[in-house]
């Protein structure tokens, strides 16, 4: 839990207590909940909020792709309509020409009456070419009309899909806000002393988990980063101190996967936006082969991600109320690790 959040909530709690009317002397204070139970509830709320955030981020990515598809189809439809307009104009011109020459003699009669049969044959060849040109123009017209119909249906379907995604994104945004409001209510219900106790208890748990992980030998020896990994790490470290904000990808604030995806984007290796997609689509590596720049994925649902720095440390955008910081790798339950540049040499 961030010091800033502790100060803010602690100040609010003290102010609220000062404003309350003193309870009667005979009143029995309600028993305090165990700090372990409070921490469990708080971590559950944080995980729910982060899971909702990653779901929102995934929908936002799909919506961006859908909008790009709508724009592409609109442009293609505009080109098809221009081409169809040209084909219709050509077909109308050919129809007028055919009407105007409809009273002329047939090529066979002209050949019989011609003084120069060879010239008549040559003219017949030209006439045949014209006829084939008319046929091609008609074919282009039909193909253009068919293509326009197909594009209209695709564009309408893409636009409907965009509307559905936008509606889903709005619901997910509301869900994130609800989850965060639950976190705020729980924190606001605690005194400054209880918040400090909660923070100490949580840190003790992280320290114990880190000692256990290091003692197990699971992390292996130090490995150098790749050139891209080094650039990604340097970018992430430059963001230290910037606030966590759900759905943010910088430059002023980040959520967990916003930080890692932007770091690798600036390193020249674009990766998926969300922690779940990063886990699903990037190459997995064992913890004992970690090198700086690799991504550590947390929780069974892959709802949190951090970037490995080496020496058992990660840089991460932790959660609401906190800031980008360096943390022990065992801050959360580890699901596994992925490498955005598996073919790059250290």
């Amino acid at each position: 839990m961030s010091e800033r959040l502790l100060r803010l909530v602690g100040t609010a709690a003290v102010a609220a207590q000062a404003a309350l009317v003193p309870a009667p002397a005979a009143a029995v204070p309600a028993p305090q909940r165990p700090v372990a139970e409070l921490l469990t509830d708080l971590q559950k709320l944080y995980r729910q909020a982060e899971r909702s955030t990653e779901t929102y981020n995934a929908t936002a990515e799909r919506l961006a792709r859908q909008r790009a598809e709508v724009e592409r189809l609109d442009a293609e439809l505009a080109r098809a309509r221009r081409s169809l307009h040209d084909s219709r104009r050509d077909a109308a011109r050919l129809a007028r020409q055919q009407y105007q020459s409809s009273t002329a003699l047939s090529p066979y009669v002209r050949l019989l009456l011609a003084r120069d049969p060879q010239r008549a044959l040559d003219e017949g060849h030209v006439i045949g070419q014209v006829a084939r040109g008319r046929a091609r123009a008609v074919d282009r017209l039909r193909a253009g009309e068919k293509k326009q119909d197909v594009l209209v249906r695709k564009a309408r379907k893409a636009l409907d899909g965009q509307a559905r995604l936008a509606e889903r994104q709005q619901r997910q945004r509301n869900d994130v806000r609800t989850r965060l409001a639950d976190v705020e209510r729980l924190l606001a219900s605690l005194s400054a002393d209880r918040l400090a106790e909660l923070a100490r208890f949580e840190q003790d748990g992280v320290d114990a988990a880190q000692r256990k992980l290091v003692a197990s030998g699971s992390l292996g020896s130090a490995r150098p980063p790749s050139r891209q990994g080094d650039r990604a790490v340097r970018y992430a470290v430059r963001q230290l101190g910037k606030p966590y904000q759900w759905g943010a990808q910088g430059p002023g604030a980040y959520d967990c996967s916003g930080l890692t995806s932007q770091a690798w984007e600036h390193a020249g290796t674009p990766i998926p936006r969300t922690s779940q997609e990063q886990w699903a689509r990037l190459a997995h590596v064992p913890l004992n082969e970690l090198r700086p720049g690799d991504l550590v994925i947390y929780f069974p649902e892959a709802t949190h991600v951090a970037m490995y720095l080496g020496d058992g440390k990660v840089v991460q955008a932790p959660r609401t109320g906190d800031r980008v910081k360096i943390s022990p790798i065992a801050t959360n339950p580890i699901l596994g690790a992925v490498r955005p540049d598996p073919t790059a040499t250290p």
Side-chain angles (χ1 to χ4, degrees), residues 225-236 262-270 291-294 307 339-346:
S226 65
R227 184 178 289 105
Q228 297 97 316
D230 181 67
R231 287 199 293 264
V233 166
R234 290 177 184 275
Y235 177 89
Q262 285 300 301
W264 274 99
E265 177 80 24
H266 281 75
T269 304
R291 67 190 189 194
D294 290 344
M307 180 177 291
R339 179 165 294 161
D341 59 340
T343 61
T345 56

Side-chain angles (χ1 to χ4, degrees), residues 9 29 51 74 118 157 167 191 197 207 209 221 238 250 305-306 318:
V9 178
R51 184 163 57 245
D74 283 346
Q118 183 59 49
K157 183 178 179 181
E167 183 180 353
S191 67
E197 184 183 6
D207 292 343
S221 57
R238 288 197 299 270
V305 60

Side-chain angles (χ1 to χ4, degrees), residues 174-235:
N174 294 339
D175 183 56
V176 173
R177 290 171 176 166
T178 298
R179 303 292 186 186
L180 293 177
D182 291 340
V183 172
E184 292 169 359
R185 276 194 295 271
L186 177 57
L187 291 173
S189 70
L190 303 175
S191 67
D193 289 343
R194 291 288 280 169
L195 287 169
E197 184 183 6
L198 188 65
R200 286 193 300 270
F201 187 84
E202 183 178 29
Q203 188 59 52
D204 289 344
V206 170
D207 292 343
Q210 183 75 4
R211 288 193 298 269
K212 182 178 179 180
L213 181 64
V214 172
S216 71
S218 299
L219 292 181
S221 57
R223 295 170 179 267
S226 65
R227 184 178 289 105
Q228 297 97 316
D230 181 67
R231 287 199 293 264
V233 166
R234 290 177 184 275
Y235 177 89

Side-chain angles (χ1 to χ4, degrees), residues 217-295:
S218 299
L219 292 181
S221 57
R223 295 170 179 267
S226 65
R227 184 178 289 105
Q228 297 97 316
D230 181 67
R231 287 199 293 264
V233 166
R234 290 177 184 275
Y235 177 89
V237 169
R238 288 197 299 270
Q239 313 314 309
L240 288 173
K242 292 184 178 180
Y244 177 99
Q245 180 181 329
W246 68 269
Q249 302 181 72
Y254 297 88
D255 63 17
C256 67
S257 57
L259 176 64
T260 55
S261 61
Q262 285 300 301
W264 274 99
E265 177 80 24
H266 281 75
T269 304
I271 64 174
R273 166 67 173 90
T274 69
S275 59
Q276 292 168 330
E277 283 294 296
Q278 290 168 8
W279 175 248
R281 294 169 53 187
L282 299 180
H284 290 209
V285 292
L287 293 183
N288 61 7
E289 295 182 12
L290 278 175
R291 67 190 189 194
D294 290 344
L295 306 182

Side-chain angles (χ1 to χ4, degrees), residues 22-334:
V28 179
Q32 288 189 332
R33 297 173 62 195
V35 67
E37 184 179 315
L38 284 172
L39 181 59
T40 298
D41 287 352
L42 184 59
Q43 289 177 336
K44 180 181 178 181
L45 291 174
Y46 275 128
R47 283 183 62 186
Q48 289 174 344
E50 193 155 42
R51 184 163 57 245
S52 297
T53 297
E54 290 300 280
T55 302
Y56 169 85
N57 289 339
T59 300
E61 286 294 290
R62 289 184 60 192
L63 182 57
R65 290 195 297 268
Q66 192 71 20
R67 283 173 174 158
E69 176 67 5
V70 168
E71 291 178 2
R72 185 190 68 80
L73 287 171
D74 283 346
E76 189 174 353
L77 182 57
R79 289 193 297 270
R81 283 173 171 161
R82 287 194 297 270
S83 177
L84 181 59
H85 175 75
D86 293 341
S87 296
R88 283 174 173 162
R89 185 181 57 194
D90 291 343
R93 177 176 53 81
L94 290 171
R96 287 193 301 271
Q97 290 175 353
Q98 185 174 9
Y99 174 77
Q100 291 166 358
S101 62
S102 61
T103 59
L105 296 174
S106 70
Y108 176 69
V109 174
R110 282 200 303 272
L111 180 61
L112 291 176
L113 299 177
R115 293 181 180 179
D116 186 351
Q118 183 59 49
R119 182 178 179 184
L121 285 172
D122 292 341
E123 289 178 351
H125 178 69
V126 172
I127 292 171
Q129 287 182 325
V130 171
R132 287 191 292 274
R134 290 172 178 170
R136 287 194 295 270
V138 172
D139 289 342
R140 285 197 300 271
L141 177 59
R142 290 172 178 168
E145 289 174 339
K146 184 177 180 181
K147 182 177 182 180
Q148 177 180 263
D149 291 342
V150 170
L151 286 173
V152 165
R153 288 194 296 271
K154 285 185 177 180
R156 187 177 295 118
K157 183 178 179 181
L159 196 59
D160 290 343
Q162 176 179 307
R164 287 194 298 271
L165 284 172
E167 183 180 353
R168 183 187 305 172
Q169 185 188 45
Q170 181 61 48
R171 291 197 303 269
Q172 290 166 349
R173 180 187 290 113
N174 294 339
D175 183 56
V176 173
R177 290 171 176 166
T178 298
R179 303 292 186 186
L180 293 177
D182 291 340
V183 172
E184 292 169 359
R185 276 194 295 271
L186 177 57
L187 291 173
S189 70
L190 303 175
S191 67
D193 289 343
R194 291 288 280 169
L195 287 169
E197 184 183 6
L198 188 65
R200 286 193 300 270
F201 187 84
E202 183 178 29
Q203 188 59 52
D204 289 344
V206 170
D207 292 343
Q210 183 75 4
R211 288 193 298 269
K212 182 178 179 180
L213 181 64
V214 172
S216 71
S218 299
L219 292 181
S221 57
R223 295 170 179 267
S226 65
R227 184 178 289 105
Q228 297 97 316
D230 181 67
R231 287 199 293 264
V233 166
R234 290 177 184 275
Y235 177 89
V237 169
R238 288 197 299 270
Q239 313 314 309
L240 288 173
K242 292 184 178 180
Y244 177 99
Q245 180 181 329
W246 68 269
Q249 302 181 72
Y254 297 88
D255 63 17
C256 67
S257 57
L259 176 64
T260 55
S261 61
Q262 285 300 301
W264 274 99
E265 177 80 24
H266 281 75
T269 304
I271 64 174
R273 166 67 173 90
T274 69
S275 59
Q276 292 168 330
E277 283 294 296
Q278 290 168 8
W279 175 248
R281 294 169 53 187
L282 299 180
H284 290 209
V285 292
L287 293 183
N288 61 7
E289 295 182 12
L290 278 175
R291 67 190 189 194
D294 290 344
L295 306 182
V296 183
I297 310 295
Y298 296 95
F299 302 113
E301 306 90 350
T303 51
H304 187 68
V305 60
M307 180 177 291
Y308 191 62
L309 296 179
D311 296 326
K313 296 292 195 301
V314 295
V315 57
Q316 63 166 337
R319 61 195 183 194
T320 296
D322 216 330
R323 295 179 176 273
V324 176
K325 65 182 181 182
I326 295 173
S327 308
I329 191 175
T331 297
N332 297 299
I334 298 173

